[in-house]
Amino acid sequence: MVEALRYMATDVVAIIGPQCSVVAPIISHVASELRFPLLSFAATDPTLSSLQFPFFVRTAQSDLYQMTAVADIIDHYGWKEVIAIFIDDDWGRNGVSALNDKLAERRCKISYKVGIQPDSSVTQGAIMDILVKVALMQSRIVVLHLNQIVGFKVFSVANHLGMMGNGYVWIATDWLSLVLDSESPLPSETMDKIQGVLTLRQHTPDSDRKRAFFARWNRITGGSPQLNAYGLYAYDTVWLLANSLDAFFNQGGVISFSNDSRISSMAGSALHLEAMSIFDDGVLLLKNILLSDFVGLTGPLKFNSDRSLILPAYDIINVLGTGIRQIGYWSNYSGLSTVSPETLYTRPQNRSSANQKLYSVIWPGETLSKPRGWVFPNNGKLLRIGVPNRVSYKEFVSQIRGTDMFKGFCIDVFTAAVNLLPYAVPYKFISFGDGRKNPSYTELVNKITAGEFDAVVGDIAIVTNRTRIVDFTQPYVSSGLVIVARLEKERSGAWAFLQPFSRRMWIVTGSFFLIVGIVVWILEHRINDEFRGPPKQQVITILWFSFSTMFFAHRENTMSTLGRLVLLVWLFVVLIINSSYTASLTSILTVEHLSSPIKGIQSLAATNEPIGYQEGSFAERYLSEELNISRSRLVSLGSPEAYALALKRGPGNGGVAAVVDERPYVELFLSSQCTFKVVG
């Protein structure tokens, strides 16, 4: 940094560099004050912003895109928690912060992160202390955002601790691919320590120009050192600046400098800052740089509105054997794919999950099976799960006698849900209740807010006052309060034949018989001799004709068209009445009918008879506070047997008129009790 500041004391129109993200903010600030562009092909810190440093131009891809690619890989394989090990400087911290944000967008997270001091003097003992803690964690997905010196020390210690075997996933940022590209082949002992590791590399498309350049480079250097992606970006950066200077001069730009009064006032200091001067036409040169649009070795060199290179993309590499194997690509355009980004750019954008693909990976431990990504941690805190110790309806939840284990439908649902989670949830069940009566579920829920339990599992109804203090899962049993009452048999006596129709129905039916008889007589008596005679005889004829149609036994013939039409409609109605009456009477005489005087909660509340409820249920509070039923009428019942006994006794013999309880318990109760039913 000091050397850069000394260099700025000369007449500077642009600087290519620095190669370190940590130095870049200071140099960028000075460059912005002196108004000359600072082009960096290696400062990938995602927080280096053109808003803060207007003369800073990044000619490579930001780590923001690299961390997006890492987050997409993690999400693609269904992992939810990762461990991040990073260099503890601005570059490392900002990179991991970007990774955390991108993981959060995909509902993943960094469960543990640890920084390593950035200098190369870090000892293996310090790294071992870090990795021992990592080995105790539940996550087995490790992301390394380091430099090559510290990174290979971490792999060496991890290999010694057996952490490069089956079950682990190691994802290294592009520092590893730079080493593999620049120094390949690495010693076999080094390669053995990084088998199965995934790493990323800034994508540069294949082209004839790129292949010709590599050939020229190898002729000049003899193949050592080899070129990596940042070498190509450095080459393109030089051409970018050269083309921009050419455009600058063609536009009449002039190399001239002026002094800054703020700097001149510091003359005589040991730093000799007064030698620095402002590049007068720096804004014009910066404009030409940002308007550049040509194809280099790394692909199109063109900047978007955020002053970032367009079309960011990365190669995804799997370390295998003595070399590497590319398993796919990531691009900001289409995400993960096995097709090169240049091909995808010609197609419509598609980020659907079905299109996110990678080739198979050889994971650490030389396995093709995707690692689960987590284990039960050795130092994990067990979740304290409260479970009601019921004495009735044990089919829902109950404690196995003599053990700390529980069984029942609710426990089965909880266990099945936990087994579907993509990460470990260690827990222990804690019994709540004395085992002699059903505990209060309201008190059980309050234990969560008091900190005694982390969660509660059981047949706990979702009611308003409980939702104000805790969160519930989606219900997995139909709920609601219902009324259970005793049924009495309806006896059929000598007058049972009148029961199919109500009194009103009988009156209406009889009235229609008379009306139809009168209507037919009116239409027939003028032309039909059978409907003539003395008044008494005509009345008898009307009555006989109308009622005989019930049995289709009428003897009088109808001669008028209207009379026949009325009679036809009426006979059809009579047929329906006969059929309905016959069916109802048959049912009354052959099927046993049960009834209850209670028709609903209103009729039950309007009486003064006692009402039963399940011990520990919220029904007591609901009946007393919401329906204003006196607590003296409420009777606590502790078991299905108590339900049946109280209902059979009835309110006159020390029992109850009805029981109000939750539907799941009632359905279980009625499955073995046939003399009771839900009413209202």
Side-chain angles (χ1 to χ4, degrees):
M1 184 173 65
V2 172
E3 290 174 352
L5 291 174
R6 287 175 178 171
Y7 181 72
M8 291 178 187
T10 62
D11 293 336
V12 176
V13 298
I15 287 182
I16 295 179
Q19 299 185 58
C20 175
S21 292
V22 178
V23 179
I26 301 296
I27 307 302
S28 298
H29 183 74
V30 177
S32 298
E33 292 294 327
L34 300 181
R35 299 179 189 172
F36 62 80
L38 178 69
L39 292 83
S40 178
F41 58 86
T44 57
D45 187 338
T47 63
L48 290 172
S49 167
S50 59
L51 293 175
Q52 184 178 7
F53 307 112
F55 280 80
F56 172 77
V57 180
R58 195 196 323 264
T59 58
Q61 299 297 347
S62 166
D63 277 340
L64 178 65
Y65 298 113
Q66 180 172 207
M67 294 309 175
T68 305
V70 172
D72 276 347
I73 293 172
I74 292 168
D75 184 53
H76 174 70
Y77 288 111
W79 301 315
K80 295 300 179 183
E81 294 186 0
V82 303
I83 295 171
I85 303 176
F86 58 95
I87 286 291
D88 196 9
D89 58 16
D90 290 343
W91 170 75
R93 287 189 295 268
N94 293 333
V96 170
S97 178
L99 174 62
N100 192 46
D101 292 341
K102 294 302 178 181
L103 287 172
E105 293 175 3
R106 293 152 180 80
R107 297 190 176 184
C108 308
K109 68 176 183 178
I110 297 177
S111 59
Y112 179 70
K113 58 183 178 181
V114 57
I116 300 178
Q117 61 188 49
D119 57 75
S120 58
S121 62
V122 61
T123 63
Q124 289 195 340
I127 294 176
M128 183 171 292
D129 292 340
I130 291 172
L131 292 185
V132 167
K133 292 180 181 179
V134 169
L136 296 176
M137 302 293 171
Q138 73 176 32
S139 176
R140 286 294 181 262
I141 316 299
V142 185
V143 177
L144 297 181
H145 190 47
L146 306 167
N147 58 40
Q148 72 176 80
I149 297 175
V150 178
F152 280 103
K153 286 184 178 181
V154 169
F155 281 130
S156 178
V157 175
N159 190 70
H160 174 73
L161 294 176
M163 298 173 65
M164 299 300 297
N166 196 4
Y168 279 90
V169 175
W170 293 84
I171 302 176
T173 52
D174 61 359
W175 64 267
L176 179 58
S177 66
L178 296 180
V179 178
L180 294 172
D181 289 340
S182 303
E183 303 178 15
S184 181
L186 295 178
S188 59
E189 59 270 17
T190 302
M191 292 298 296
D192 290 342
K193 296 174 183 177
I194 58 175
Q195 292 296 301
V197 174
L198 292 182
T199 185
L200 288 86
R201 175 175 59 200
Q202 296 215 26
H203 175 72
T204 57
D206 289 331
S207 64
D208 294 337
R209 184 179 178 185
K210 178 180 171 182
R211 285 188 287 270
F213 180 80
F214 270 93
R216 288 168 53 203
W217 176 265
N218 291 332
R219 285 198 303 269
I220 295 171
T221 64
S224 180
Q226 300 179 41
L227 277 173
N228 56 45
Y230 285 99
L232 300 179
Y233 276 110
Y235 183 83
D236 282 348
T237 301
V238 175
W239 275 107
L240 173 67
L241 181 55
N243 290 333
S244 301
L245 282 169
D246 189 47
F248 170 81
F249 289 123
N250 290 336
Q251 295 171 7
V254 177
I255 304 295
S256 62
F257 301 90
S258 59
N259 294 326
D260 191 335
S261 58
R262 294 173 297 173
I263 299 177
S264 301
S265 63
M266 301 181 67
S269 66
L271 293 176
H272 299 290
L273 296 177
E274 70 278 3
M276 294 183 178
S277 55
I278 297 174
F279 178 28
D280 295 329
D281 280 344
V283 175
L284 179 60
L285 178 58
L286 176 64
K287 179 182 178 181
N288 281 287
I289 291 174
L290 297 177
L291 292 177
S292 297
D293 185 4
F294 69 95
V295 178
L297 298 180
T298 58
L301 265 75
K302 184 179 180 180
F303 297 94
N304 58 25
S305 58
D306 296 329
R307 298 189 181 182
S308 300
L309 288 177
I310 63 171
L311 306 178
Y314 285 84
D315 300 334
I316 303 173
I317 296 169
N318 184 203
V319 179
L320 184 63
T322 58
I324 59 176
R325 172 175 172 264
Q326 187 165 329
I327 62 169
Y329 306 89
W330 176 92
S331 69
N332 198 42
Y333 183 77
S334 297
L336 302 173
S337 71
T338 55
V339 181
S340 67
E342 290 71 36
T343 303
L344 296 176
Y345 295 148
T346 62
R347 304 174 184 174
Q349 186 175 17
N350 190 341
R351 295 296 295 265
S352 66
S353 57
N355 275 23
Q356 305 300 295
K357 298 178 181 178
L358 292 174
Y359 289 120
S360 59
V361 179
I362 304 297
W363 302 102
E366 299 182 0
T367 177
L368 282 170
S369 301
K370 185 198 77 173
R372 183 170 60 174
W374 59 268
V375 294
F376 286 100
N378 295 324
N379 63 344
K381 173 188 173 184
L382 295 176
L383 288 180
R384 298 162 299 172
I385 308 294
V387 184
N389 187 9
R390 295 189 59 90
V391 297
S392 63
Y393 296 109
K394 293 186 175 182
E395 293 87 348
F396 289 99
V397 58
S398 64
Q399 187 171 5
I400 300 176
R401 182 176 298 178
T403 69
D404 294 331
M405 301 175 64
F406 287 81
K407 64 179 182 179
F409 177 70
C410 298
I411 302 299
D412 293 341
V413 173
F414 172 78
T415 304
V418 168
N419 290 338
L420 289 175
L421 294 175
Y423 47 82
V425 180
Y427 61 88
K428 61 177 178 179
F429 288 136
I430 301 176
S431 176
F432 178 77
D434 55 13
R436 294 189 295 272
K437 63 179 182 179
N438 292 333
S440 169
Y441 280 24
T442 301
E443 293 181 13
L444 176 59
V445 170
N446 288 333
K447 293 290 184 181
I448 299 177
T449 59
E452 295 186 30
F453 295 141
D454 297 309
V456 168
V457 172
D459 48 335
I460 303 167
I462 305 175
V463 295
T464 304
N465 63 325
R466 295 174 184 171
T467 59
R468 294 192 180 105
I469 58 175
V470 297
D471 288 329
F472 284 87
T473 65
Q474 290 295 313
Y476 50 85
V477 176
S478 59
S479 60
L481 289 177
V482 294
I483 303 169
V484 183
R486 182 182 177 184
L487 301 176
E488 297 180 355
K489 296 181 181 179
E490 291 184 353
R491 301 183 180 276
S492 57
W495 296 94
F497 68 91
L498 295 176
Q499 293 180 10
F501 291 159
S502 64
R503 179 179 299 178
R504 180 179 297 179
M505 183 64 181
W506 280 116
I507 293 173
V508 170
T509 303
S511 300
F512 268 102
F513 272 105
L514 292 176
I515 292 171
V516 169
I518 293 172
V519 170
V520 172
W521 175 82
I522 292 173
L523 296 173
E524 293 289 328
H525 81 282
R526 294 180 181 178
I527 58 176
N528 192 340
D529 294 338
E530 295 182 1
F531 287 89
R532 292 182 180 180
K536 180 179 179 181
Q537 181 180 351
Q538 292 186 43
V539 171
I540 294 173
T541 300
I542 290 172
L543 294 175
W544 170 255
F545 178 82
S546 60
F547 286 103
S548 63
T549 55
M550 177 181 294
F551 307 101
F552 305 98
H554 52 285
R555 293 175 298 176
E556 294 79 6
N557 295 319
T558 53
M559 301 178 63
S560 67
T561 303
L562 289 176
R564 291 175 178 177
L565 180 62
V566 170
L567 184 60
L568 179 64
V569 173
W570 174 242
L571 290 177
F572 181 74
V573 173
V574 168
L575 177 63
I576 296 175
I577 293 174
N578 280 337
S579 301
S580 301
Y581 178 85
T582 303
S584 298
L585 183 61
T586 303
S587 174
I588 292 171
L589 297 177
T590 58
V591 178
E592 184 179 57
H593 278 250
L594 304 176
S595 65
S596 170
I598 299 171
K599 303 303 179 184
I601 190 65
Q602 288 80 11
S603 63
L604 181 62
T607 67
N608 291 319
E609 296 177 339
I611 303 172
Y613 68 92
Q614 184 181 173
E615 188 176 39
S617 171
F618 75 95
E620 178 190 14
R621 176 181 174 276
Y622 180 81
L623 292 172
S624 62
E625 297 184 10
E626 300 294 334
L627 301 180
N628 298 318
I629 297 175
S630 173
R631 289 185 181 270
S632 60
R633 293 178 55 191
L634 303 181
V635 179
S636 175
L637 302 174
S639 66
E641 293 75 17
Y643 282 20
L645 181 61
L647 289 170
K648 286 178 180 178
R649 286 180 176 177
N653 297 318
V656 296
V659 173
V660 176
D661 201 359
E662 297 172 55
R663 181 178 297 275
Y665 305 115
V666 170
E667 291 179 350
L668 196 59
F669 171 71
L670 294 180
S671 65
S672 59
Q673 298 288 341
C674 300
T675 58
F676 313 103
K677 79 167 187 175
V678 174
V679 298

